[in-house]
Amino acid sequence: MLLQGWEAFFFYGLAITVLFMAVFTVSAKNAVHSALFLISTLIGLAGLFLLLRAEFVAGAQILVYVGGILVLFLFVLMLVNIRDDNQNPFNRQDKIAFVVSGLLLGAIMFSVYHTQQSGFFKSKPTDERAVIESAKPGPNTGMISTDTENVGKTLYTKAVLPFEVASVLLLVAVIGSVLLARDKKQEETYD
Amino acid sequence: MMISEMWTPVLALLQQEPSGSFGQRLVQSFSQASTTSFLFLSAILFTVGVYGVLTRRNMIVIFMSVELMLSAANLNFITFSRYWQTQGNEYAYNGQIMTIFVIVVAAAEAALGLALLLTLYRNRETVSADEITLLKW
């Protein structure tokens, strides 16, 4: 897999945006700013997913993360009154944590580098003949990508059981969060 | 070249004989991105998330850092999915399915975690991870 031309240009642009926004997410003093920077990070990641021809996941990312989870974060941030008493937003472990995460980064980078040096990634330009038939545009679809079709096929044939389990998980999450988030007065009224 | 591909554009810029304008050379050197570049980006994102989880005091920001780490894993899954598509593997789309499940679990986790946080705030008037020490010995 090798992105060339404009795709590579967009990759580097999005990569730099995503990295800076991630660093700002972690380092922003105000938690609301963190949430907004996280939104930017996730939108940039959705753009990267588009570059990787994963349109469905890019759409799901924007709908679920940006439209759902981040709105939830902002709601909770506004319900929870954070006292801004000029306290350092980082705790006392920040130096040792920097070393630990630096070592982790070094380990991951080394393993990726080693894998690449061992010739695991055949990083030649995309050979259209090697791409499986199902990944190509169909006869009646013109140049429209068949990514969503293939994701749907895989989801409903190979991954049916996890799909159903995921629905139960979401039900548990809904009931559990309603049960947890009610206050004392509501509990006394309904118990 | 002994240095990994992520830095290739920068090195090429430094080593190239000056041919053409600086803008042309800049465009040329940044005209390629490989699987490894995506993996490096994902590694850096994950590490930034780890640093946030380890150091922040506000528990809501800790949750956001966890979301960052999950997104880094998602990027890895999608990258390998695309890589196997270009190599003609019939299981290539499993990576995207996995990412969808990660997003589902992240949504459930965020809902439950934030509900727990609200309950905690009602009882203790704080969301700082340093002040929640009841179970600490």
Side-chain angles (χ1 to χ4, degrees):
Chain A
M1 187 183 82
L2 197 65
L3 303 185
Q4 286 171 319
W6 280 107
E7 282 187 330
F9 178 76
F10 279 117
F11 167 75
Y12 285 109
L14 284 169
I16 289 167
T17 316
V18 163
L19 282 185
F20 270 95
M21 290 303 153
V23 170
F24 290 155
T25 305
V26 169
S27 63
K29 255 192 150 175
N30 190 336
V32 179
H33 295 174
S34 279
L36 295 177
F37 284 129
L38 185 59
I39 290 180
S40 311
T41 313
L42 295 172
I43 290 177
L45 275 170
L48 286 171
F49 292 168
L50 281 181
L51 281 183
L52 292 166
R53 309 283 201 286
E55 293 93 2
F56 182 77
V57 179
Q61 166 106 354
I62 289 184
L63 283 176
V64 177
Y65 262 119
V66 181
I69 298 179
L70 261 298
V71 172
L72 199 65
F73 271 113
L74 285 173
F75 261 113
V76 172
L77 277 173
M78 285 163 194
L79 285 174
V80 171
N81 176 29
I82 298 163
R83 287 159 294 151
D84 189 18
D85 44 4
N86 287 326
Q87 201 189 19
N88 186 5
F90 297 101
N91 58 19
R92 283 168 293 135
Q93 314 160 356
D94 56 349
K95 292 194 179 60
I96 186 122
F98 191 79
V99 174
V100 167
S101 46
L103 285 177
L104 183 68
L105 179 65
I108 302 176
M109 284 234 171
F110 176 76
S111 54
V112 171
Y113 172 64
H114 203 74
T115 315
Q116 192 239 334
Q117 286 299 103
S118 70
F120 178 77
F121 301 119
K122 299 176 209 61
S123 151
K124 60 189 177 194
T126 304
D127 183 6
E128 283 302 321
R129 282 164 302 176
V131 178
I132 43 171
E133 206 57 42
S134 59
K136 287 181 186 171
N140 299 319
T141 51
M143 289 306 289
I144 296 170
S145 161
T146 53
D147 168 72
T148 309
E149 189 188 329
N150 286 318
V151 168
K153 271 182 193 159
T154 317
L155 192 60
Y156 289 118
T157 53
K158 289 177 190 154
V160 178
L161 185 64
F163 185 74
E164 299 296 333
V165 173
S167 66
V168 177
L169 176 77
L170 283 177
L171 183 70
V172 169
V174 168
I175 296 176
S177 50
V178 168
L179 200 69
L180 281 172
R182 58 184 187 166
D183 56 22
K184 284 227 170 64
K185 214 197 287 176
Q186 285 168 327
E187 278 180 35
E188 283 162 7
T189 313
Y190 292 107
D191 279 349
Chain B
M1 191 160 299
M2 288 305 289
I3 307 217
S4 45
E5 284 191 27
M6 181 94 176
W7 313 114
T8 312
V10 183
L11 280 178
L13 256 191
L14 294 177
Q15 291 173 350
Q16 249 173 13
E17 293 296 314
S19 63
S21 71
F22 181 76
Q24 275 175 344
R25 280 186 288 141
L26 197 72
V27 169
Q28 265 175 13
S29 53
F30 276 96
S31 65
Q32 279 192 348
S34 66
T35 314
T36 324
S37 319
F38 280 93
L39 297 185
F40 277 134
L41 173 63
S42 154
I44 299 172
L45 261 185
F46 186 82
T47 323
V48 171
V50 168
Y51 183 72
V53 169
L54 287 179
T55 56
R56 288 301 297 238
R57 288 178 195 264
N58 189 336
M59 281 187 76
I60 301 177
V61 183
I62 292 179
F63 266 115
M64 290 183 203
S65 306
V66 171
E67 300 290 335
L68 264 185
M69 289 158 73
L70 288 172
S71 297
N74 282 350
L75 183 62
N76 241 341
F77 273 123
I78 299 280
T79 305
F80 277 107
S81 169
R82 178 64 187 155
Y83 172 71
W84 287 117
Q85 278 174 45
T86 59
Q87 299 297 319
N89 189 312
E90 60 172 314
Y91 299 112
Y93 284 93
N94 289 8
Q96 296 192 24
I97 303 297
M98 200 66 205
T99 306
I100 293 169
F101 285 125
V102 169
I103 291 177
V104 168
V105 172
E109 172 246 322
L112 278 179
L114 290 173
L116 276 174
L117 245 164
L118 269 184
T119 319
L120 189 71
Y121 180 73
R122 277 205 200 99
N123 289 313
R124 302 291 301 268
E125 294 285 316
T126 180
V127 285
S128 172
D130 284 7
E131 294 172 33
I132 303 160
T133 52
L134 196 63
L135 286 179
K136 216 171 170 184
W137 57 281

